[in-house]
Amino acid sequence: LAGFFVVAFCAPIVGALAPPGNWYASLNKPAWNPPAWIFGPVWTFLCLLMAVAAWLVWKRRGWGSPLWLYLFQLMLNAAWTPVFFGAHQIGWALVVIILLWIAILSTMLSFLRVPTVAGLMLVPYLAWVSFATFLNLTLWRMN
């Protein structure tokens, strides 16, 4: 289980290398843009859920295609922050997050077939990334 925690938290660690900074502060944002302090607790909770879900799949089926999907979506998750905050590419970040959303849905559906609870544990993650996708789209349109 500890290994799955380490892997799940790699994406936010990569994200910490490209913090929002002054560029993000200068963007036009919608009134419903969440405050900065919310992201840390939300991502901590989501990473904990992702790690436990992946561990449950591994315990039941070992290493297979559901966990490869899981790793793929984690790589897309890790890629979004450097594209958005690091490169300041809001449009390309939108492409990445849409691919991430598809990968999370695919991972969730594959996890549902192993222990159902593992797939259900990814629902909050998909919901948050759905919100983040809409926010990314809105920021792209506003800026």
Side-chain angles (χ1 to χ4, degrees), residues 15-30:
L17 301 175
N22 292 332
W23 170 80
Y24 183 72
S26 72
L27 292 178
N28 295 318
K29 296 177 201 69

Side-chain angles (χ1 to χ4, degrees), residues 89-122:
Q89 296 296 317
I90 303 172
W92 284 112
L94 181 59
V95 171
V96 172
I97 203 168
I98 289 168
L99 293 172
L100 172 60
W101 190 92
I102 293 166
I104 294 167
L105 179 63
S106 299
T107 303
M108 186 178 80
L109 293 174
S110 71
F111 277 23
L112 282 169
R113 291 187 216 118
V114 185
T116 302
V117 69
L120 295 175
M121 292 175 86
L122 297 183

Side-chain angles (χ1 to χ4, degrees), residues 16-62:
L17 301 175
N22 292 332
W23 170 80
Y24 183 72
S26 72
L27 292 178
N28 295 318
K29 296 177 201 69
W32 47 269
N33 191 74
W37 64 265
I38 198 119
F39 291 94
V42 167
W43 278 109
T44 299
F45 173 71
L46 295 175
C47 286
L48 291 172
L49 284 177
M50 287 189 287
V52 172
W55 177 69
L56 290 171
V57 169
W58 177 76
K59 276 183 49 177
R60 180 75 58 95
R61 296 248 319 254

Side-chain angles (χ1 to χ4, degrees), residues 117-135:
V117 69
L120 295 175
M121 292 175 86
L122 297 183
V123 170
Y125 179 35
L126 185 64
W128 180 258
V129 172
S130 297
F131 170 76
T133 302
F134 185 63
L135 178 59

